[in-house]
Amino acid sequence: METAAEKPPADWNETATDYPKNTPIHRLFEQQVRTRPEAPAVNSGAEALRYCELDGSANALAHELVSHGVRAGELVGVLIKSSAEAVAAILATLKTGAGYVPLDPDDPDHRLHGMCEQAGIRVVLTTESLRCRVSDDRTVVTARLDTFSPAPPEEEAETSGSDPAYVMFTSGSSGTPKAVIVPHRGITRLVRGTDHLVLGPEDTVLSTTNLCFDISCWEIFGALLNGSRLLFVDTETLLAPNALAELIESERASVLILSTGVFHEVAPKRPDMFGSLRFLALGGEAMNPNVARSVLAHGPPGQFLNGYGPTENTVMSTAYDVAELDADAETVPIGRPISNSTAHVLRPNLEPADIGEEGELCVGGDGVALGYHGAPELTRQRFVPDPFSEVPGARLYRTGDRARWRPDGVLEYLGRQDRQVKISGFRVELGEIESVLGAHPEVDQAVVETRVSDSGDRRVLAWVSSERSGASPGFAERVREYARDRLPEFMVPEAIRPVGTFPLNHSGKVDRSRLPEIDRQPTEVRNRPATETEQSVAAIWCELLGLPAVDREDDFFALGGRSLHATRMVALLEEEWKIPASRGRFLIRCLLASPTLREFAEKIEESISTTGSPANETVDFWAETRLDPELRFDAPVVENPNDPGTVLLTGATGFLGAYLLDRLVRRTRATVLCLTRAEDDQQALTRIAANMRRYGLSFEEVAHRVVPLPGDLARSGLGVGSRFDELAERVDLVVHNGSHVNFVFPYSSMRATNVGGSREVLRLATTSRLKPVHYVSSITTIAGNGVAGIRHVPEDAPPAHPDKLSMGYQATKWVSEWLFRQASEHGLPVSIHRPHEITGTTGEGIWNTDTLICALFRTIAETGLAPDVALPLDFVPVDVAAETLVHLITHEPPRGHAYHLTNPHGAHLGLLVERLRVRGYPVRKLDYGQWVTEMIRLVSKDPERPLTPYIPIFTDAANTGDMTVKEMYFAGTFPTFGRQNLVRGLADSGLVIPPVDERLLDLYLDYFERCGFLDPTSKGA
């Protein structure tokens, strides 16, 4: 089953080193002054100061501050742009025993006044030109470099490493300014006695960061506490890649620390500029792996770090050495805790998460800030006792960031907890979408935000930059297609706007408030909607797709419409035009067949004028099952059908597919070729790896025997072109698990992928050698038998009554089963596997929540209403399903048998209701008809509800005419089924499918609440 969960070992946080913990910053600077007084200290424009000169100026300013009453423990404002004067002012403040507060001259007056009030600032150090920005009720001291004092003022009491060094204002993600109090030791542990960077007199450190961003502290004190030269870089040079490259070369710079936002702006244009650096570090935002790979390919610096750390833990908490980056990596890790720092991934109850489990990243060690100035309650909430430390009074800072440990002790950043939004009833992490878009090979940086439409719907929008492709035709659509292949439909941005550069704030981060508007204006509207129906439909399309107008000849899907939009549109049309909900699937079928506004409006008018139920799609299913007459079955059969050397797996980028791939590699000797829709091998590999990680699996552990195979089930020859014959010669066995899954679309819209794909698999399996095929079908193929009155279906009984199936997806599976069954009768080794509901894992409950059963679970929990029906809960955990399938593949002869992969100890929907009630969800049962009526009302009122895409299943009549489609699957109608083949195949395997009981349902509900699919705070709302 799942690998046993492991806690992170304690030695991952054993980071202690020897450093001057109790010595304040200014005393360490003075040590450098005494050691190398004539060495260059600071260069800023025309100003160049030696260590002795900088110290003398700081001493003089310190005396003046003392003369104005500044004392130890006070806070002094520093309103100066990054410069030598600013450094002297900072050192002067520290020499008095006070702490400094950087103030940005670019901030408006009201913000500066508010910060001074909040921090209790009485005295402000500034320049002559900025004196006017300081309010009259504060004392102004002008920072000058033309005064000198050989010694600092005497401190009333010697400053210690735990005293405040500075207060840094950070708005964080909430936008409310917080004043973070940082002690001297926080900086000292960052720049002295470290394992990530050792600086010395031979180094020139470039300072690129605004004083109000804490990276500036690393730059300034990293240089001046180690005898290095600090060189300030003006903004014009910083953002001009060629000028920055020239500066690095001419000044022989060795150390550069950049905000990630600036890096993303300059590196794509000159990725070679960093090769002469000894050290390059980034911080502030997630690093784009494509840009990192470009730098590595064009001559990397001696050391290349991706740093992570909040202001509340003094600049940096963890670091990752970007010495190399896997070609399939979609993110850049944030690494391990740096010297004298700790990092823990914790569950909501602050218990350690298992390795690989997502949780909140909490950081500790000597860098933890003292708290928030003037906000004791917020300090108590965010700075909590550190249960993992032996140091009395040690605290952890709760970052609000999501992360997980890799098995190798490296941390992966997963995004902000407060950047999770609700889209279509699902909790969506915007950072995850940014990571996926940013991994597109043409994208240098991606930003994702949501905007609320006029109708109140939340829309996902994206902005992307690309040095190579930003202006090329079709770039945005290529990125969008890339996202469609990797994200659930509700997470795919509705619109993507290429931008040349991103607006940055003073911290070097993307200023999301200044992102340009995304204009979804389509091509010129030449033919405006003419009829009342066209106008009504056009209004709905504009609302759903965020368009200002549409042409009556516009194609819904060409405008960006997707299946989720289609089902929402149907709900809105039913509400506006009083169309019976039972016609939902008919309207979907009309849209697929007639997707232009004009054609679809005509179909709606026909539907309104027609009495009775519309006819379902007519298909001659028996004709569909005829084998291709060109297939030949006279080739030799592979020698050992249970011990393949090479396996072709389809559907590897699905939920079950991820676990099948994992188990095929772990349980067999086979190399697994994964047929994947992608433009090339690398894109295919990226998709496969991302899918495994999405479901809690390690791609790295199986990558050595995974081979990407770009292709498409819907295309001739599986879309592999000239490689088809080579593939047929190489493959020893096929696991055909891929399909297009949609419970509303008709048979005709899924035929190419699901039936055509099966025909192409048969062609491959009969070419060169007869190769075993294990077809993963569905237990729902026997639903027609139940409706026809057949009460029990043995495994090897052929499925019948396709005309009664009533769903296109099930019908494609039915047809495919018959194709493989006939091929078996002609001598092809075949096994057919019919799983029931594939559900979450047995260990942590990890589940693909984008399914009908999950939507039903959530709807019951959120509405407090459950249908009073005997709906079977026949659950097979995905890890058990994969283990079972691989065991059957390696132990059972493929002789045409079918295996019902189902649970011998299932339950009914009532058990879910019971477990929800135990958790405090006030659920009551309704008669099925009443429940459906209430669901139709709720969905019509709010098309964003997760059940919306599935409503037609509950409302549309089955082909029998006497029940809805969903009622076909209720106990008493859906037939019972045999399991003898499965039981025989699993004998002595040790594999057990866990019963659907309180423990299993509680495990799943725990996961739903943990991942945000269910919101326990909304109970009874």
Side-chain angles (χ1 to χ4, degrees), residues 396-425:
L396 286 176
Y397 172 66
R398 302 187 63 172
T399 68
D401 290 327
R402 297 161 44 249
R404 63 175 167 234
W405 286 108
R406 293 193 330 199
D408 59 357
V410 167
L411 284 164
E412 291 184 328
Y413 175 79
L414 303 176
R416 289 286 305 165
Q417 289 180 330
D418 49 21
R419 289 205 71 219
Q420 293 174 333
V421 296
K422 288 288 182 70
I423 303 291
S424 303

PDB file of all heavy atoms in Angstrom, residues 396-425:
ATOM      1  N   LEU A 396       8.963  29.768  17.835  1.00  0.00           N
ATOM      2  CA  LEU A 396       8.828  29.519  16.401  1.00  0.00           C
ATOM      3  C   LEU A 396       7.978  30.625  15.797  1.00  0.00           C
ATOM      4  O   LEU A 396       7.027  31.109  16.428  1.00  0.00           O
ATOM      5  CB  LEU A 396       8.130  28.183  16.122  1.00  0.00           C
ATOM      6  CG  LEU A 396       8.884  26.877  16.342  1.00  0.00           C
ATOM      7  CD1 LEU A 396       7.933  25.709  16.097  1.00  0.00           C
ATOM      8  CD2 LEU A 396      10.075  26.783  15.395  1.00  0.00           C
ATOM      9  N   TYR A 397       8.296  30.980  14.568  1.00  0.00           N
ATOM     10  CA  TYR A 397       7.431  31.915  13.843  1.00  0.00           C
ATOM     11  C   TYR A 397       6.590  31.133  12.854  1.00  0.00           C
ATOM     12  O   TYR A 397       7.113  30.363  12.035  1.00  0.00           O
ATOM     13  CB  TYR A 397       8.248  32.973  13.101  1.00  0.00           C
ATOM     14  CG  TYR A 397       7.383  33.830  12.205  1.00  0.00           C
ATOM     15  CD1 TYR A 397       6.423  34.680  12.763  1.00  0.00           C
ATOM     16  CD2 TYR A 397       7.490  33.768  10.822  1.00  0.00           C
ATOM     17  CE1 TYR A 397       5.594  35.444  11.954  1.00  0.00           C
ATOM     18  CE2 TYR A 397       6.672  34.536  10.003  1.00  0.00           C
ATOM     19  CZ  TYR A 397       5.719  35.373  10.583  1.00  0.00           C
ATOM     20  OH  TYR A 397       4.897  36.124   9.778  1.00  0.00           O
ATOM     21  N   ARG A 398       5.287  31.311  12.933  1.00  0.00           N
ATOM     22  CA  ARG A 398       4.356  30.664  12.005  1.00  0.00           C
ATOM     23  C   ARG A 398       4.274  31.519  10.745  1.00  0.00           C
ATOM     24  O   ARG A 398       3.681  32.596  10.752  1.00  0.00           O
ATOM     25  CB  ARG A 398       2.976  30.499  12.656  1.00  0.00           C
ATOM     26  CG  ARG A 398       3.001  29.704  13.939  1.00  0.00           C
ATOM     27  CD  ARG A 398       1.602  29.415  14.444  1.00  0.00           C
ATOM     28  NE  ARG A 398       0.867  28.587  13.494  1.00  0.00           N
ATOM     29  CZ  ARG A 398      -0.330  28.046  13.750  1.00  0.00           C
ATOM     30  NH1 ARG A 398      -0.911  28.256  14.917  1.00  0.00           N
ATOM     31  NH2 ARG A 398      -0.952  27.324  12.840  1.00  0.00           N
ATOM     32  N   THR A 399       4.849  31.034   9.656  1.00  0.00           N
ATOM     33  CA  THR A 399       4.996  31.866   8.465  1.00  0.00           C
ATOM     34  C   THR A 399       3.708  32.036   7.680  1.00  0.00           C
ATOM     35  O   THR A 399       3.568  32.993   6.930  1.00  0.00           O
ATOM     36  CB  THR A 399       6.047  31.255   7.517  1.00  0.00           C
ATOM     37  OG1 THR A 399       5.549  30.015   6.977  1.00  0.00           O
ATOM     38  CG2 THR A 399       7.367  31.020   8.226  1.00  0.00           C
ATOM     39  N   GLY A 400       2.772  31.084   7.811  1.00  0.00           N
ATOM     40  CA  GLY A 400       1.593  31.117   6.945  1.00  0.00           C
ATOM     41  C   GLY A 400       1.882  30.599   5.552  1.00  0.00           C
ATOM     42  O   GLY A 400       1.023  30.651   4.666  1.00  0.00           O
ATOM     43  N   ASP A 401       3.094  30.060   5.354  1.00  0.00           N
ATOM     44  CA  ASP A 401       3.463  29.469   4.068  1.00  0.00           C
ATOM     45  C   ASP A 401       3.270  27.960   4.125  1.00  0.00           C
ATOM     46  O   ASP A 401       3.426  27.341   5.181  1.00  0.00           O
ATOM     47  CB  ASP A 401       4.924  29.778   3.722  1.00  0.00           C
ATOM     48  CG  ASP A 401       5.147  31.235   3.376  1.00  0.00           C
ATOM     49  OD1 ASP A 401       4.230  31.846   2.802  1.00  0.00           O
ATOM     50  OD2 ASP A 401       6.230  31.765   3.683  1.00  0.00           O
ATOM     51  N   ARG A 402       2.951  27.383   2.997  1.00  0.00           N
ATOM     52  CA  ARG A 402       2.769  25.941   2.887  1.00  0.00           C
ATOM     53  C   ARG A 402       4.021  25.316   2.299  1.00  0.00           C
ATOM     54  O   ARG A 402       4.603  25.840   1.350  1.00  0.00           O
ATOM     55  CB  ARG A 402       1.555  25.628   2.012  1.00  0.00           C
ATOM     56  CG  ARG A 402       0.256  26.141   2.579  1.00  0.00           C
ATOM     57  CD  ARG A 402      -0.859  26.262   1.558  1.00  0.00           C
ATOM     58  NE  ARG A 402      -0.925  25.111   0.684  1.00  0.00           N
ATOM     59  CZ  ARG A 402      -0.616  25.135  -0.612  1.00  0.00           C
ATOM     60  NH1 ARG A 402      -0.213  26.274  -1.172  1.00  0.00           N
ATOM     61  NH2 ARG A 402      -0.706  24.045  -1.340  1.00  0.00           N
ATOM     62  N   ALA A 403       4.426  24.194   2.862  1.00  0.00           N
ATOM     63  CA  ALA A 403       5.648  23.540   2.402  1.00  0.00           C
ATOM     64  C   ALA A 403       5.562  22.058   2.709  1.00  0.00           C
ATOM     65  O   ALA A 403       4.634  21.592   3.376  1.00  0.00           O
ATOM     66  CB  ALA A 403       6.876  24.158   3.084  1.00  0.00           C
ATOM     67  N   ARG A 404       6.551  21.314   2.217  1.00  0.00           N
ATOM     68  CA  ARG A 404       6.683  19.893   2.572  1.00  0.00           C
ATOM     69  C   ARG A 404       8.157  19.508   2.496  1.00  0.00           C
ATOM     70  O   ARG A 404       8.933  20.106   1.743  1.00  0.00           O
ATOM     71  CB  ARG A 404       5.843  19.004   1.660  1.00  0.00           C
ATOM     72  CG  ARG A 404       6.239  19.028   0.195  1.00  0.00           C
ATOM     73  CD  ARG A 404       5.441  18.024  -0.635  1.00  0.00           C
ATOM     74  NE  ARG A 404       5.631  18.287  -2.058  1.00  0.00           N
ATOM     75  CZ  ARG A 404       4.642  18.470  -2.924  1.00  0.00           C
ATOM     76  NH1 ARG A 404       3.391  18.426  -2.521  1.00  0.00           N
ATOM     77  NH2 ARG A 404       4.899  18.712  -4.195  1.00  0.00           N
ATOM     78  N   TRP A 405       8.509  18.511   3.283  1.00  0.00           N
ATOM     79  CA  TRP A 405       9.863  17.962   3.248  1.00  0.00           C
ATOM     80  C   TRP A 405       9.973  16.914   2.151  1.00  0.00           C
ATOM     81  O   TRP A 405       9.076  16.073   1.990  1.00  0.00           O
ATOM     82  CB  TRP A 405      10.201  17.282   4.573  1.00  0.00           C
ATOM     83  CG  TRP A 405      10.477  18.162   5.742  1.00  0.00           C
ATOM     84  CD1 TRP A 405       9.659  18.349   6.825  1.00  0.00           C
ATOM     85  CD2 TRP A 405      11.648  18.948   5.976  1.00  0.00           C
ATOM     86  NE1 TRP A 405      10.245  19.213   7.712  1.00  0.00           N
ATOM     87  CE2 TRP A 405      11.481  19.594   7.223  1.00  0.00           C
ATOM     88  CE3 TRP A 405      12.820  19.181   5.248  1.00  0.00           C
ATOM     89  CZ2 TRP A 405      12.432  20.443   7.761  1.00  0.00           C
ATOM     90  CZ3 TRP A 405      13.775  20.032   5.788  1.00  0.00           C
ATOM     91  CH2 TRP A 405      13.590  20.654   7.023  1.00  0.00           C
ATOM     92  N   ARG A 406      11.052  16.958   1.407  1.00  0.00           N
ATOM     93  CA  ARG A 406      11.382  15.856   0.515  1.00  0.00           C
ATOM     94  C   ARG A 406      12.135  14.799   1.318  1.00  0.00           C
ATOM     95  O   ARG A 406      12.703  15.091   2.376  1.00  0.00           O
ATOM     96  CB  ARG A 406      12.259  16.335  -0.649  1.00  0.00           C
ATOM     97  CG  ARG A 406      11.562  17.263  -1.589  1.00  0.00           C
ATOM     98  CD  ARG A 406      12.297  17.499  -2.893  1.00  0.00           C
ATOM     99  NE  ARG A 406      13.745  17.428  -2.867  1.00  0.00           N
ATOM    100  CZ  ARG A 406      14.524  17.952  -3.814  1.00  0.00           C
ATOM    101  NH1 ARG A 406      13.964  18.615  -4.817  1.00  0.00           N
ATOM    102  NH2 ARG A 406      15.832  17.852  -3.746  1.00  0.00           N
ATOM    103  N   PRO A 407      12.197  13.568   0.820  1.00  0.00           N
ATOM    104  CA  PRO A 407      12.933  12.526   1.556  1.00  0.00           C
ATOM    105  C   PRO A 407      14.413  12.842   1.753  1.00  0.00           C
ATOM    106  O   PRO A 407      15.042  12.293   2.657  1.00  0.00           O
ATOM    107  CB  PRO A 407      12.745  11.286   0.668  1.00  0.00           C
ATOM    108  CG  PRO A 407      11.479  11.541  -0.085  1.00  0.00           C
ATOM    109  CD  PRO A 407      11.456  13.020  -0.332  1.00  0.00           C
ATOM    110  N   ASP A 408      14.977  13.715   0.914  1.00  0.00           N
ATOM    111  CA  ASP A 408      16.399  14.035   1.051  1.00  0.00           C
ATOM    112  C   ASP A 408      16.650  15.213   1.990  1.00  0.00           C
ATOM    113  O   ASP A 408      17.770  15.732   2.069  1.00  0.00           O
ATOM    114  CB  ASP A 408      17.019  14.330  -0.318  1.00  0.00           C
ATOM    115  CG  ASP A 408      16.353  15.503  -1.037  1.00  0.00           C
ATOM    116  OD1 ASP A 408      15.372  16.059  -0.492  1.00  0.00           O
ATOM    117  OD2 ASP A 408      16.804  15.854  -2.142  1.00  0.00           O
ATOM    118  N   GLY A 409      15.616  15.650   2.722  1.00  0.00           N
ATOM    119  CA  GLY A 409      15.804  16.721   3.687  1.00  0.00           C
ATOM    120  C   GLY A 409      15.739  18.112   3.098  1.00  0.00           C
ATOM    121  O   GLY A 409      16.145  19.084   3.741  1.00  0.00           O
ATOM    122  N   VAL A 410      15.222  18.235   1.894  1.00  0.00           N
ATOM    123  CA  VAL A 410      15.074  19.534   1.233  1.00  0.00           C
ATOM    124  C   VAL A 410      13.606  19.955   1.305  1.00  0.00           C
ATOM    125  O   VAL A 410      12.699  19.139   1.159  1.00  0.00           O
ATOM    126  CB  VAL A 410      15.551  19.449  -0.233  1.00  0.00           C
ATOM    127  CG1 VAL A 410      15.123  20.674  -1.023  1.00  0.00           C
ATOM    128  CG2 VAL A 410      17.065  19.297  -0.281  1.00  0.00           C
ATOM    129  N   LEU A 411      13.393  21.239   1.530  1.00  0.00           N
ATOM    130  CA  LEU A 411      12.039  21.782   1.620  1.00  0.00           C
ATOM    131  C   LEU A 411      11.556  22.265   0.262  1.00  0.00           C
ATOM    132  O   LEU A 411      12.309  22.903  -0.481  1.00  0.00           O
ATOM    133  CB  LEU A 411      11.995  22.954   2.598  1.00  0.00           C
ATOM    134  CG  LEU A 411      12.020  22.603   4.090  1.00  0.00           C
ATOM    135  CD1 LEU A 411      12.371  23.838   4.910  1.00  0.00           C
ATOM    136  CD2 LEU A 411      10.672  22.046   4.532  1.00  0.00           C
ATOM    137  N   GLU A 412      10.291  21.981  -0.035  1.00  0.00           N
ATOM    138  CA  GLU A 412       9.639  22.514  -1.226  1.00  0.00           C
ATOM    139  C   GLU A 412       8.578  23.518  -0.786  1.00  0.00           C
ATOM    140  O   GLU A 412       7.745  23.226   0.079  1.00  0.00           O
ATOM    141  CB  GLU A 412       8.991  21.393  -2.038  1.00  0.00           C
ATOM    142  CG  GLU A 412       9.992  20.461  -2.691  1.00  0.00           C
ATOM    143  CD  GLU A 412       9.307  19.417  -3.561  1.00  0.00           C
ATOM    144  OE1 GLU A 412       8.172  19.024  -3.220  1.00  0.00           O
ATOM    145  OE2 GLU A 412       9.897  19.011  -4.568  1.00  0.00           O
ATOM    146  N   TYR A 413       8.624  24.698  -1.373  1.00  0.00           N
ATOM    147  CA  TYR A 413       7.660  25.762  -1.064  1.00  0.00           C
ATOM    148  C   TYR A 413       6.416  25.561  -1.919  1.00  0.00           C
ATOM    149  O   TYR A 413       6.500  25.379  -3.130  1.00  0.00           O
ATOM    150  CB  TYR A 413       8.298  27.120  -1.351  1.00  0.00           C
ATOM    151  CG  TYR A 413       7.381  28.305  -1.188  1.00  0.00           C
ATOM    152  CD1 TYR A 413       7.097  28.804   0.079  1.00  0.00           C
ATOM    153  CD2 TYR A 413       6.827  28.940  -2.293  1.00  0.00           C
ATOM    154  CE1 TYR A 413       6.273  29.907   0.243  1.00  0.00           C
ATOM    155  CE2 TYR A 413       5.999  30.040  -2.139  1.00  0.00           C
ATOM    156  CZ  TYR A 413       5.720  30.515  -0.876  1.00  0.00           C
ATOM    157  OH  TYR A 413       4.894  31.600  -0.725  1.00  0.00           O
ATOM    158  N   LEU A 414       5.232  25.608  -1.282  1.00  0.00           N
ATOM    159  CA  LEU A 414       3.980  25.335  -1.990  1.00  0.00           C
ATOM    160  C   LEU A 414       3.060  26.536  -2.083  1.00  0.00           C
ATOM    161  O   LEU A 414       2.014  26.452  -2.708  1.00  0.00           O
ATOM    162  CB  LEU A 414       3.245  24.180  -1.297  1.00  0.00           C
ATOM    163  CG  LEU A 414       4.034  22.873  -1.186  1.00  0.00           C
ATOM    164  CD1 LEU A 414       3.238  21.842  -0.401  1.00  0.00           C
ATOM    165  CD2 LEU A 414       4.394  22.331  -2.568  1.00  0.00           C
ATOM    166  N   GLY A 415       3.430  27.654  -1.465  1.00  0.00           N
ATOM    167  CA  GLY A 415       2.605  28.852  -1.599  1.00  0.00           C
ATOM    168  C   GLY A 415       2.084  29.354  -0.267  1.00  0.00           C
ATOM    169  O   GLY A 415       2.269  28.743   0.789  1.00  0.00           O
ATOM    170  N   ARG A 416       1.408  30.494  -0.338  1.00  0.00           N
ATOM    171  CA  ARG A 416       0.848  31.124   0.851  1.00  0.00           C
ATOM    172  C   ARG A 416      -0.508  30.518   1.204  1.00  0.00           C
ATOM    173  O   ARG A 416      -1.322  30.235   0.323  1.00  0.00           O
ATOM    174  CB  ARG A 416       0.641  32.619   0.607  1.00  0.00           C
ATOM    175  CG  ARG A 416       1.899  33.449   0.528  1.00  0.00           C
ATOM    176  CD  ARG A 416       2.533  33.655   1.871  1.00  0.00           C
ATOM    177  NE  ARG A 416       1.607  34.225   2.847  1.00  0.00           N
ATOM    178  CZ  ARG A 416       1.843  34.224   4.160  1.00  0.00           C
ATOM    179  NH1 ARG A 416       2.923  33.656   4.640  1.00  0.00           N
ATOM    180  NH2 ARG A 416       0.982  34.771   4.996  1.00  0.00           N
ATOM    181  N   GLN A 417      -0.745  30.342   2.494  1.00  0.00           N
ATOM    182  CA  GLN A 417      -2.075  29.907   2.910  1.00  0.00           C
ATOM    183  C   GLN A 417      -3.123  30.959   2.572  1.00  0.00           C
ATOM    184  O   GLN A 417      -4.251  30.621   2.211  1.00  0.00           O
ATOM    185  CB  GLN A 417      -2.083  29.639   4.418  1.00  0.00           C
ATOM    186  CG  GLN A 417      -1.307  28.396   4.820  1.00  0.00           C
ATOM    187  CD  GLN A 417      -1.341  28.149   6.315  1.00  0.00           C
ATOM    188  OE1 GLN A 417      -1.440  29.089   7.098  1.00  0.00           O
ATOM    189  NE2 GLN A 417      -1.233  26.908   6.712  1.00  0.00           N
ATOM    190  N   ASP A 418      -2.741  32.240   2.681  1.00  0.00           N
ATOM    191  CA  ASP A 418      -3.722  33.298   2.433  1.00  0.00           C
ATOM    192  C   ASP A 418      -3.828  33.666   0.965  1.00  0.00           C
ATOM    193  O   ASP A 418      -4.505  34.619   0.613  1.00  0.00           O
ATOM    194  CB  ASP A 418      -3.434  34.541   3.282  1.00  0.00           C
ATOM    195  CG  ASP A 418      -1.981  34.986   3.201  1.00  0.00           C
ATOM    196  OD1 ASP A 418      -1.306  34.605   2.231  1.00  0.00           O
ATOM    197  OD2 ASP A 418      -1.526  35.700   4.109  1.00  0.00           O
ATOM    198  N   ARG A 419      -3.148  32.924   0.076  1.00  0.00           N
ATOM    199  CA  ARG A 419      -3.382  33.105  -1.356  1.00  0.00           C
ATOM    200  C   ARG A 419      -4.240  31.967  -1.895  1.00  0.00           C
ATOM    201  O   ARG A 419      -4.264  31.698  -3.090  1.00  0.00           O
ATOM    202  CB  ARG A 419      -2.059  33.169  -2.127  1.00  0.00           C
ATOM    203  CG  ARG A 419      -1.268  34.449  -1.873  1.00  0.00           C
ATOM    204  CD  ARG A 419      -0.333  34.763  -3.031  1.00  0.00           C
ATOM    205  NE  ARG A 419      -1.078  35.194  -4.195  1.00  0.00           N
ATOM    206  CZ  ARG A 419      -0.784  34.845  -5.450  1.00  0.00           C
ATOM    207  NH1 ARG A 419       0.237  34.035  -5.694  1.00  0.00           N
ATOM    208  NH2 ARG A 419      -1.502  35.283  -6.462  1.00  0.00           N
ATOM    209  N   GLN A 420      -4.955  31.315  -0.994  1.00  0.00           N
ATOM    210  CA  GLN A 420      -5.902  30.290  -1.400  1.00  0.00           C
ATOM    211  C   GLN A 420      -7.281  30.932  -1.513  1.00  0.00           C
ATOM    212  O   GLN A 420      -7.730  31.624  -0.608  1.00  0.00           O
ATOM    213  CB  GLN A 420      -5.924  29.151  -0.379  1.00  0.00           C
ATOM    214  CG  GLN A 420      -4.611  28.375  -0.341  1.00  0.00           C
ATOM    215  CD  GLN A 420      -4.590  27.358   0.777  1.00  0.00           C
ATOM    216  OE1 GLN A 420      -5.254  27.526   1.778  1.00  0.00           O
ATOM    217  NE2 GLN A 420      -3.813  26.309   0.604  1.00  0.00           N
ATOM    218  N   VAL A 421      -7.919  30.697  -2.647  1.00  0.00           N
ATOM    219  CA  VAL A 421      -9.231  31.297  -2.902  1.00  0.00           C
ATOM    220  C   VAL A 421     -10.191  30.188  -3.306  1.00  0.00           C
ATOM    221  O   VAL A 421      -9.777  29.079  -3.659  1.00  0.00           O
ATOM    222  CB  VAL A 421      -9.146  32.360  -4.021  1.00  0.00           C
ATOM    223  CG1 VAL A 421      -8.259  33.521  -3.601  1.00  0.00           C
ATOM    224  CG2 VAL A 421      -8.639  31.746  -5.322  1.00  0.00           C
ATOM    225  N   LYS A 422     -11.461  30.490  -3.225  1.00  0.00           N
ATOM    226  CA  LYS A 422     -12.480  29.532  -3.635  1.00  0.00           C
ATOM    227  C   LYS A 422     -12.871  29.798  -5.081  1.00  0.00           C
ATOM    228  O   LYS A 422     -13.292  30.889  -5.432  1.00  0.00           O
ATOM    229  CB  LYS A 422     -13.703  29.647  -2.730  1.00  0.00           C
ATOM    230  CG  LYS A 422     -13.499  29.108  -1.319  1.00  0.00           C
ATOM    231  CD  LYS A 422     -13.432  27.596  -1.321  1.00  0.00           C
ATOM    232  CE  LYS A 422     -13.284  27.042   0.086  1.00  0.00           C
ATOM    233  NZ  LYS A 422     -14.487  27.220   0.889  1.00  0.00           N
ATOM    234  N   ILE A 423     -12.713  28.774  -5.923  1.00  0.00           N
ATOM    235  CA  ILE A 423     -13.126  28.828  -7.319  1.00  0.00           C
ATOM    236  C   ILE A 423     -14.019  27.621  -7.568  1.00  0.00           C
ATOM    237  O   ILE A 423     -13.592  26.481  -7.363  1.00  0.00           O
ATOM    238  CB  ILE A 423     -11.918  28.777  -8.287  1.00  0.00           C
ATOM    239  CG1 ILE A 423     -10.934  29.915  -8.003  1.00  0.00           C
ATOM    240  CG2 ILE A 423     -12.393  28.818  -9.734  1.00  0.00           C
ATOM    241  CD1 ILE A 423     -11.451  31.284  -8.352  1.00  0.00           C
ATOM    242  N   SER A 424     -15.225  27.869  -8.006  1.00  0.00           N
ATOM    243  CA  SER A 424     -16.176  26.782  -8.287  1.00  0.00           C
ATOM    244  C   SER A 424     -16.336  25.857  -7.094  1.00  0.00           C
ATOM    245  O   SER A 424     -16.505  24.646  -7.241  1.00  0.00           O
ATOM    246  CB  SER A 424     -15.715  25.965  -9.508  1.00  0.00           C
ATOM    247  OG  SER A 424     -15.558  26.793 -10.623  1.00  0.00           O
ATOM    248  N   GLY A 425     -16.244  26.425  -5.893  1.00  0.00           N
ATOM    249  CA  GLY A 425     -16.407  25.626  -4.697  1.00  0.00           C
ATOM    250  C   GLY A 425     -15.152  24.910  -4.248  1.00  0.00           C
ATOM    251  O   GLY A 425     -15.150  24.257  -3.209  1.00  0.00           O
TER     252      GLY A 425
END
